[in-house]
Amino acid sequence: MAPPAQSQRSPSPSQPSGVLIMVNSKSEVSDLKLQLRQLAGSRAPGVDDSKRELFKKVISYMTIGIDVSSLFGEMVMCSATSDIVLKKMCYLYVGNYAKVNPDLALLTINFLQRDCRDEDPMIRGLALRSLCSLRVANLVEYLVGPLGSGLKDNNSYVRMVAVMGVLKLYHISASTCIDADFPSILKHLMLHDSDTQVVANCLSALQEIWSAEASTSEEASREREALISKPVIYYLLNRIKEFSEWAQCLVLELVTKYVPSDSSEIFDIMNLLEDRLQHANGAVVLATIRVFLQLTLSMTDVHQQVYERIKAPLLTLVSSGSPEQSYAVLSHLHLLVMRAPYVFSSDYKHFYCQYNEPSYVKRLKLEMLTAVANESNTYEIVTELCEYAANVDIPIARESIRAVGKIALQQYDVNAIVDRLLQFLEMEKDYVTAEALVLVKDLLRKYPQWSHDCIAVVGNISSKNVQEPKAKAALIWMLGEYSQDMQDAPYVLESLVENWDEEHSAEVRLHLLTAVMKCFFKRPPETQSALGAALAGGIADFHQDVHDRALFYYRILRYNVSVAERVVNPPKQAVSVFADTQSSEIKDRIFDEFNSLSVLYQKPSYMFTDKEHRGPLEFADELGNLSIGEAANNVVPTQMVEENDKDLLLTTSEKEETKGSRNNGSAYTVPYDGSSTSVFASQAQIESAVSNPTLAGHSPQASFAIDDLLGLGIPATPAVPSPPQLKLNTKAALDPSTFQQKWRQLPVALSQEISVNPQGVAALTAPQALLRHMQSHSIHCIASGGQSPNFKFFFFAQKFEESSNYLVECVINTSSAKAQVKIKADDQNTSQDFSTLFESALSKFGTS
């Protein structure tokens, strides 16, 4: 048998397949060009079928990225046919390559203009749409004539296409569109055309054109206001049943901007739209509901009746349709429930979770059940939620337990709910126990009278079985708050302190410090050792908040033990109201944007559309004009220690002999002997120190007595010298492209939250002040953006006499006075030193 031809052999493994594809595609394109040229002028029977096959190949090649622009002339010549399918494929091809090659677009003008005069209205419309889609600025003069003819065409499809073509022309050349008086023609069509789709397209186009022109033209502003005049609104409402779903939503959106003159007009509009609440399309129903809610905002009684009227259509939409539609409707229903929970309280069973619903729908239904719970339905809702706690979907099980806790915190009669929560604590599921612990802690803060029952169950839980940070923090809080009622509390806390270095959560360490302090004032002999170890471990902690709290506790103990007890262990006061996660202002903003993505995202639109959240970087061109000061050379690193601590939080009368840095680079330390066991004092010593303010006064002897009591000795070792200061290049330079490239390549070396002082927050009304301030510390801004309350800055710095760069992303929230900082560095080893320098510079902003 003869070997196969060379062209039929499969490529060898060593041959790059991409080369073969390129060679084959070039030859295929050449073959297609020859075949198209042969068919261009042919009128033989079946030639259109042959053209279709060739056109399909061309479109498929174009779709997968093969350049077939060389076939442009042949494709245009083959388009001389009455076959609509061929026309569509040819227009698709022409539109694709005309955008990237305006010279080729010139070749299409003649045949598209010719097709705009074709006898077939479908071809006229397709040609006009393709002509307007070329979007080539130097061809706009060829669009005016066909568009004018299209707007006067007898066929509604052609007029509909022409209206949208006017909008495309406006975006290519606004002056050409306005000079041709197309907006006036569209207005006439909107008010007099018999086809509702043409009317809807005119309305959409006019809204966009006049909104864009209103900022520069008073006439356009008046025309935009005329769109929401009474004659136009009533004309559109009287024809609303003829519109498509999309067009109805467009009209209803316009109606929300109309301000009726009196209540009779409001009722007229609502009567006209009454049947839209029964529409099968969810978008139309939601748009109608928004109109009803907006119109009746100033009529309290009628507004409440509207809630009753819209309840049934919304609940019907939730139970029918896809999960995605159910979620969208539920999101809007949730917003209404938060404003009027009593209206929906009797319909709580509609919000029970179904086994086959996706998690995002179940989660939203749990929020709904929490919102509608009241004294009449609490028992049934809590019973249902407790069933979900055993759900195989662990996140839903967690949410259901949280929902039970939220209901408990908002009800007066919580007897049954507390029993359910305590049953959760006895379940042998870690995540159930963890969620229940957090809720019991909140419950005890609001209902201290339940402490006896709760502590009896909590005392049986081993801290070793609780691993989640929030749950462990809740357990530690209860151990400290109710240590007098829990026999093993000091010993459990001591075991946790012994594992201080193994605890990775700063939240847990903070709670542990406070709990040990509280326990010390209630059961001093048993907690003395744990408190000394906790203070020593806290001051040596890497986390700034933990370090600061431990230092505060240590100093206040040395200052006055009686004062420390009043500060750390004040009388218990029940928490009446827990803070809401969203302010009423934010909720009102979301309600104003009803029937939009704001409701689904549960945040106002500016939070996900403003420039600081998604826009491109605004590069700081003014940096070249900023003067570079010498202040950076005078920056004192935070590791440096002053000789006295009169400026500290609580001063002492004596100077500490040594103030070296611990391994966290802190400026202040508590002397600690480093031994694993503390020196125990006698019962009389401890009680005397706690109860006698004169012993715990300001004298050095009293301070040293506290040190001895807690097992904290004064070492005789010399002070550890502070590390050398990182020096930055005052004339650093980095172009934006290099910055962006490095930002993508380098990993995040440090990520931290920094507090901004109040003077700095006030100075951010002029963000350029921060740029100048940081530049005076040799830290330069390369990009900035945002508006109050969120500002984003990108900084860079360079080591002195080295090419090593530091890149910083700094997002400052003026409402919380916090800065989220991410640092990337060429030299990872010095990133911590730079972080300290950056924090020092930022902390001084606004103070000088």
Side-chain angles (χ1 to χ4, degrees), residues 272-314:
L272 282 171
L273 296 175
E274 173 73 17
D275 61 337
R276 296 300 91 192
L277 292 174
Q278 278 77 44
H279 201 281
N281 187 282
V284 175
V285 175
L286 288 175
T288 306
I289 289 173
R290 184 183 182 186
V291 172
F292 279 36
L293 294 172
Q294 294 285 350
L295 289 176
T296 59
L297 273 177
S298 59
M299 307 165 67
T300 306
D301 295 338
V302 179
H303 194 69
Q304 297 303 321
Q305 293 175 21
V306 167
Y307 279 93
E308 293 285 354
R309 178 63 187 88
I310 65 179
K311 180 172 64 173
L314 285 173

Side-chain angles (χ1 to χ4, degrees), residues 48-59:
D48 285 347
D49 294 335
S50 301
K51 287 182 180 180
R52 279 191 186 188
E53 294 302 319
L54 293 177
F55 274 34
K56 286 179 183 178
K57 285 186 178 181
V58 173
I59 298 300

